[in-house]
Amino acid sequence: MGWLIAAIVFVVPLVFFPRATGYILVAALALLGGWALYDSLQNSRNLAEEEKVKIAASYDPVACALQTPVLANVVNGSSREVASVRFDIAVKRRGYSNEIGRLSRLLDDRPMPPGGQSHYCYALPVLIPAVAPEELEFLIPLQFVTFK
């Protein structure tokens, strides 16, 4: 919808003021270039802040119930307040490179101030092949952070 409005704003003057075509095109390019620069700077700032939010997963039947022994600890090392974090937990056998299980589309939607942390417990996924818990290694392959 925004592109349609922008096209109308710049095409209508081109039709009614053909002599000012060059000026209108330069103004349009400057406006689009400024918007692209702003968006790029905002995106790089968000990515830098997202990298400061750390997630660690481990097998911890002491901190969690026996039915949900996978502990996911989220720490907000960012200077901004986190609204939610979506992530996956991949399970590997220690010393091997292939995944034997995955917990997907997990959500931590508890607001976290800078320096805050939260933890959730999850059930162990079905492992193929079955592996003893002390041989498991947990990784966070995907993480998406939303800031307030």
Side-chain angles (χ1 to χ4, degrees):
M1 185 67 179
W3 288 104
L4 179 64
I5 293 172
I8 291 171
V9 166
F10 288 107
V11 170
V12 169
L14 286 174
V15 172
F16 289 109
F17 305 105
R19 291 185 188 170
T21 301
Y23 297 117
I24 293 170
L25 290 177
V26 168
L29 288 176
L31 192 65
L32 289 174
W35 173 75
L37 179 65
Y38 171 78
D39 196 42
S40 173
L41 293 173
Q42 189 73 11
N43 191 28
S44 65
R45 178 177 171 242
N46 280 344
L47 288 175
E49 291 294 316
E50 280 182 26
E51 289 177 3
K52 294 178 184 176
V53 177
K54 302 294 181 190
I55 303 172
S58 63
Y59 183 83
D60 193 350
V62 175
C64 297
L66 194 56
Q67 297 83 6
T68 57
V70 178
L71 173 68
N73 192 25
V74 181
V75 178
N76 182 8
S78 167
S79 62
R80 298 171 61 191
E81 185 173 356
V82 170
S84 68
V85 181
R86 291 187 182 276
F87 57 98
D88 285 1
I89 298 176
V91 183
K92 294 183 178 184
R93 185 175 182 184
R94 195 175 316 276
Y96 292 84
S97 62
N98 60 327
E99 286 184 18
I100 58 172
R102 183 180 276 236
L103 296 168
S104 297
R105 298 185 188 118
L106 304 174
L107 173 67
D108 179 355
D109 61 350
R110 183 180 305 161
M112 261 186 292
Q117 58 180 304
S118 66
H119 70 276
Y120 289 94
C121 297
Y122 300 100
L124 197 61
V126 175
L127 303 177
I128 301 172
V131 176
E134 49 277 348
E135 291 185 40
L136 296 178
E137 190 175 285
F138 297 90
L139 303 167
I140 310 299
L142 294 173
Q143 159 179 334
F144 302 101
V145 180
T146 304
F147 294 102
K148 280 195 171 184

